[in-house]
Amino acid sequence: MGKIIALANQKGGVGKTTTSMNLAASLATLEKKVLLVDADPQANASSGLGVDVSEIDSSIYECIIDHADPRDAIYTTDIEGLDIIPSHIDLVGAEIEMLNLPNREKVLSSILSPMKSEYDYILIDCSPSLGLITVNALTAADSVIIPVQCEYFALEGISKLLNTIKIIKSKLNPSLEIEGFLLTMYDSRLRLANQIYDEVKKHFQELVFKTVIQRNVKLSEAPSHGLPVILYDTDSTGSKNHLALAKEIIEKDK
């Protein structure tokens, strides 16, 4: 039975999409069957894995609003074992369209639950907001990865996200767990980065992943080529970091 993991943080620019794409690619490289669900209207994870968003017939939007079969919205990628349900800019309006739906917080859950038996991991790349789509993602998920960038305001807003997770646990999804806090954009030369790391570790202890995602030029360049970093430059730090993260998650699930 597969595991659904949401990647969420309402703060933008923390490396959520980068992590979603590259973690999904790394898990597939380690011979896991992976589905990445792009639940961000910006659709960066979709284009970053080579999907031409202007050419697609069906996206997560059609699945949520038009009850399209999610299997019709699945696209394969250049990595064997990695599929994606892309996003679309239309998703921006979906939150308003969903307001009148019965069980509106559980729409994504009903779409993805039947597919758990077909994949080892289903990753959901959430948008940088705590709107209805993100609530849907957290309601559908078994666990959540919270990327935290090693910068001054890193811990700002985490309490808001943790509060949202707490509400979802109590009202919608009692089995939701925190998979871990993931430190991103880490630069060991900066004293601030080390201070942030220590602070996050002090607050959240064993919930912090051992793996940190370091700042890496190749990691930033890869999406513009429509490739995960593992295909763009296998030997890069970004590639090694995400493989280490994938191994850590697989190890945890044993």
Side-chain angles (χ1 to χ4, degrees), residues 122-181:
I122 298 177
L123 302 185
I124 309 174
D125 182 28
C126 299
S127 69
S129 78
L130 290 177
L132 191 50
I133 302 272
T134 300
V135 168
N136 260 270
L138 293 171
T139 304
D142 297 303
S143 65
V144 53
I145 290 175
I146 303 169
V148 180
Q149 97 270 41
C150 292
E151 283 173 10
Y152 184 61
F153 292 116
L155 293 172
E156 211 179 61
I158 284 189
S159 56
K160 206 173 187 174
L161 176 62
L162 292 177
N163 199 34
T164 303
I165 290 170
K166 205 162 122 192
I167 293 167
I168 286 169
K169 258 182 92 101
S170 68
K171 293 193 164 47
L172 295 164
N173 181 5
S175 58
L176 181 65
E177 296 294 333
I178 291 176
E179 187 75 29
F181 291 85

Side-chain angles (χ1 to χ4, degrees), residues 20 47-48 51 65 98 125 127 146 154 199 210 226 246:
S20 304
S47 56
V51 176
I65 301 300
M98 289 166 79
D125 182 28
S127 69
I146 303 169
E199 201 172 326
K210 290 188 188 75

Side-chain angles (χ1 to χ4, degrees), residues 24-251:
S26 298
L27 286 165
T29 305
L30 295 169
E31 297 183 349
K32 299 293 177 189
K33 189 121 179 56
V34 185
L35 174 67
L36 177 59
V37 179
D38 190 350
D40 183 348
Q42 294 174 56
N44 292 340
S46 306
S47 56
L49 286 177
V51 176
D52 183 346
V53 185
S54 61
E55 297 284 309
I56 59 176
D57 302 319
S58 194
S59 69
I60 193 66
Y61 172 82
E62 280 74 21
C63 300
I64 292 172
I65 301 300
D66 303 333
H67 310 295
D69 185 336
R71 285 169 189 82
D72 294 339
I74 290 174
Y75 290 75
T76 54
T77 68
D78 291 338
I79 288 196
E80 196 181 334
L82 173 57
D83 294 340
I84 181 168
I85 295 183
S87 183
H88 194 274
I89 192 67
D90 289 351
L91 200 59
V92 168
E95 305 219 335
I96 294 165
E97 295 176 70
M98 289 166 79
L99 287 176
N100 298 323
L101 294 180
N103 274 342
R104 61 186 180 202
E105 295 88 359
K106 298 188 174 173
V107 179
L108 204 50
S109 183
S110 61
I111 291 168
L112 298 180
S113 293
M115 300 170 81
K116 279 175 86 166
S117 57
E118 296 165 38
Y119 291 93
D120 297 308
Y121 291 96
I122 298 177
L123 302 185
I124 309 174
D125 182 28
C126 299
S127 69
S129 78
L130 290 177
L132 191 50
I133 302 272
T134 300
V135 168
N136 260 270
L138 293 171
T139 304
D142 297 303
S143 65
V144 53
I145 290 175
I146 303 169
V148 180
Q149 97 270 41
C150 292
E151 283 173 10
Y152 184 61
F153 292 116
L155 293 172
E156 211 179 61
I158 284 189
S159 56
K160 206 173 187 174
L161 176 62
L162 292 177
N163 199 34
T164 303
I165 290 170
K166 205 162 122 192
I167 293 167
I168 286 169
K169 258 182 92 101
S170 68
K171 293 193 164 47
L172 295 164
N173 181 5
S175 58
L176 181 65
E177 296 294 333
I178 291 176
E179 187 75 29
F181 291 85
L182 174 69
L183 286 142
T184 61
M185 306 178 198
Y186 179 78
D187 185 340
S188 58
R189 296 166 305 180
L190 299 178
R191 205 165 80 219
L192 178 66
N194 292 304
Q195 283 171 347
I196 301 283
Y197 180 83
D198 293 340
E199 201 172 326
V200 174
K201 200 86 179 115
K202 191 175 81 193
H203 271 287
F204 303 111
Q205 294 159 4
E206 70 285 350
L207 282 177
V208 182
F209 284 109
K210 290 188 188 75
T211 307
V212 294
I213 308 296
Q214 291 161 275
R215 276 196 184 280
N216 179 238
V217 176
K218 298 289 187 210
L219 199 52
S220 316
E221 289 174 358
S224 63
H225 297 268
L227 292 170
V229 72
I230 204 157
L231 288 186
Y232 181 64
D233 186 342
T234 313
D235 294 325
S236 65
T237 305
S239 178
K240 288 172 182 163
N241 288 166
H242 284 94
L243 265 176
L245 177 64
K247 285 175 184 162
E248 197 175 331
I249 289 170
I250 292 168
E251 200 52 45

